[in-house]
Amino acid sequence: MKNPTKKLLIRDIELGGNSPVRVQSMTNTDTRNIQTTINQINELQQAGCEIIRLAVPDTEAAHALSSIRKKTTAPLVADIHFDAKLALLSLEAGIDALRINPGNIGSSQKVNMVVDAAKEYHVPIRIGVNSGSVEKYLLKKYNGPTPQAMVESAFKHIDLLEKRNFEQIKISLKSSSVLTTINAYRLLAQKTDYPLHIGVTEAGTLIRGTVKSSIGLGILLYEGIGDTLRVSLTGQPKDEVLVAWEILRSLGLRQRGPEIISCPTCGRTEIDLVGLTREVEKHLQSVTEVFTVAVMGCVVNGPGEAKEADIGLAGGKGCGIVFRKGQVIKKIENQKEIIPEFLKELDSFIQERNKDYGPDQKPWLKDFKP
Ligand code: SF4
């Protein structure tokens, strides 16, 4: 059961309380390059990203936010370090949330100025503590950036905001260690009902980062901890979004788009299954309908092994068979036609599923704003 937390609104996306766990990512374009950043925001949004963070390293980037805000629809978060003025400029530019570490914004007057302005603009603040930002006296007290040190650091910052009667808060406590991350969030979740943004930071490249995030975030989400997540990868931000959705889907928390299952291949495989699976993935990448597609390496065992799949293809020697729920519905005799014919079958399957629903009635989209 999900940990009870307060609700927040970031632009038109609800977060916390009973809201679905929200998917976040961060652009890696130069925010000053307005069009390139807009293109990446749109790409992330199409992939299912619901909240998008942008780095604001200087005044030019803060000013760029105004045009970016006007030309995009996704909720945008300004990521600010060291400079209160950049936070104020971002608010003026129409940003929907701020991510700051109050510890590095400067004097208490400067923090107060940012918090008061955020209140005036009704903009939530994420307090982002990570193992590298824990104060020296806490590192000494706890002998390093332990979960206790990170939680105490977070409360110090929460206190600064609450003193200004500001409660539109969410918190993150990130570490590159999976175990520290899990323990820090567990501790924090016992002590606060502010919504939590979860993530394993600096997780690594696609395989390593996916494993670390899936284990760390998977355990927390399974325990009901986490209102929004970011999978942090050294790579394309869009991949972060795809991995995040797979984590949520695997835990039965949310669904978006088809689940593509493919067999691991073995000595019976008679087709280029890797190429075929890639083609299917590419064809379905912007599809939001929820169903299961199987791509299997042989006609003897494939349909049986994937009989739960709504639709599937099993490749044989120079041919392919299409099946639905384990029942063969078509044989494709011409090897060259296997991929195009199967993609056509997928399209008609989706059309059939959609005919009963209006654009806003698709049951699988009830917790998702496309
Ligand atoms: Fe091997 Fe066929 Fe099973 Fe794929 S479906 S793993 S090719 S037996």
Side-chain angles (χ1 to χ4, degrees):
M1 200 174 124
K2 195 173 164 301
N3 215 35
T5 50
K6 291 178 183 168
K7 254 189 186 169
L8 275 185
L9 191 66
I10 301 184
R11 196 171 170 86
D12 56 349
I13 290 278
E14 270 190 353
L15 179 131
N18 298 324
S19 319
V21 179
R22 299 300 183 183
V23 173
Q24 297 205 29
S25 184
M26 185 169 182
T27 52
N28 64 1
T29 52
D30 183 336
T31 308
R32 291 166 294 196
N33 190 336
I34 295 172
Q35 194 52 50
T36 317
T37 303
I38 289 173
N39 293 346
Q40 195 173 62
I41 289 170
N42 291 339
E43 186 193 38
L44 285 169
Q45 201 178 15
Q46 260 180 16
C49 190
E50 296 167 294
I51 300 170
I52 300 172
R53 183 157 51 112
L54 299 90
V56 185
D58 60 19
T59 315
E60 201 189 331
H63 287 307
L65 292 178
S66 175
S67 308
I68 295 170
R69 176 60 295 161
K70 285 187 194 115
K71 291 179 185 158
T72 53
T73 56
L76 302 178
V77 183
D79 188 87
I80 312 283
H81 286 278
F82 307 116
D83 194 341
K85 195 177 84 196
L86 297 179
L88 299 177
L89 287 174
S90 303
L91 290 167
E92 276 170 30
I95 205 73
D96 306 299
L98 289 175
R99 186 270 183 182
I100 58 170
N101 178 342
N104 72 23
I105 284 292
S107 62
S108 57
Q109 286 94 322
K110 285 186 177 167
V111 174
N112 291 346
M113 216 160 63
V114 172
V115 175
D116 292 350
K119 195 169 180 184
E120 201 184 308
Y121 282 94
H122 303 285
V123 160
I125 294 179
R126 162 150 76 94
I127 296 173
V129 172
N130 60 48
S131 49
S133 75
V134 174
E135 293 80 354
K136 279 191 184 130
Y137 77 94
L138 290 172
L139 293 175
K140 206 167 160 200
K141 180 175 170 187
Y142 290 102
N143 203 14
T146 60
Q148 290 81 358
M150 290 168 75
V151 169
E152 195 167 323
S153 175
F155 272 100
K156 194 181 144 237
H157 299 146
I158 292 169
D159 209 36
L160 290 174
L161 271 56
E162 285 180 340
K163 278 199 179 120
R164 308 299 293 177
N165 295 319
F166 187 88
E167 294 197 344
Q168 298 287 297
I169 298 171
K170 63 181 163 138
I171 312 162
S172 64
L173 294 181
K174 295 190 188 176
S175 162
S176 55
S177 152
V178 172
L179 292 178
T180 304
T181 303
I182 293 169
N183 290 326
Y185 278 107
R186 277 179 176 160
L187 196 61
L188 183 65
Q190 285 167 14
K191 292 173 186 272
T192 186
D193 59 0
Y194 286 123
L196 303 184
H197 168 101
I198 60 172
V200 177
T201 195
E202 296 134 21
T205 48
L206 189 60
I207 292 183
R208 199 178 297 247
T210 299
V211 171
K212 285 175 85 170
S213 294
S214 305
I215 292 175
L217 306 187
I219 288 174
L220 287 168
L221 291 166
Y222 186 73
E223 292 176 6
I225 298 170
D227 300 281
T228 170
L229 82 163
R230 182 197 176 189
V231 170
S232 174
L233 295 176
T234 310
Q236 290 305 312
K238 189 178 155 194
D239 287 338
E240 298 188 346
V241 177
L242 303 180
V243 174
W245 276 100
E246 287 305 324
I247 293 173
L248 294 174
R249 186 207 303 274
S250 305
L251 292 166
L253 291 172
R254 296 189 70 185
Q255 302 213 62
R256 182 182 190 269
E259 179 169 14
I260 301 168
I261 56 172
S262 51
C263 81
T265 71
C266 72
R268 291 187 196 88
T269 313
E270 292 179 308
I271 48 159
D272 167 21
L273 197 76
V274 177
L276 184 58
T277 310
R278 281 207 188 111
E279 286 292 333
V280 171
E281 276 180 355
K282 202 165 103 193
H283 189 72
L284 296 176
Q285 67 185 356
S286 55
V287 171
T288 54
E289 280 76 7
V290 174
F291 57 95
T292 308
V293 187
V295 188
M296 308 300 280
C298 72
V299 289
V300 186
N301 294 339
E305 283 184 26
K307 62 174 176 293
E308 300 307 323
D310 294 300
I311 181 162
L313 176 78
K317 212 179 189 98
C319 71
I321 57 165
V322 182
F323 57 92
R324 289 193 185 189
K325 295 280 182 197
Q327 301 299 313
V328 177
I329 58 158
K330 186 173 189 173
K331 186 166 184 191
I332 307 165
E333 306 272 8
N334 182 343
Q335 193 170 356
K336 284 195 186 135
E337 292 300 315
I338 295 177
I339 294 178
E341 276 298 312
F342 184 58
L343 299 184
K344 267 193 230 156
E345 286 292 330
L346 284 172
D347 291 343
S348 30
F349 173 83
I350 294 166
Q351 261 176 20
E352 259 175 53
R353 291 241 336 200
N354 279 348
K355 74 177 186 311
D356 297 331
Y357 302 103
D360 299 322
Q361 296 166 334
K362 298 175 183 177
W364 51 88
L365 291 179
K366 66 181 185 305
D367 66 346
F368 180 75
K369 267 179 187 292

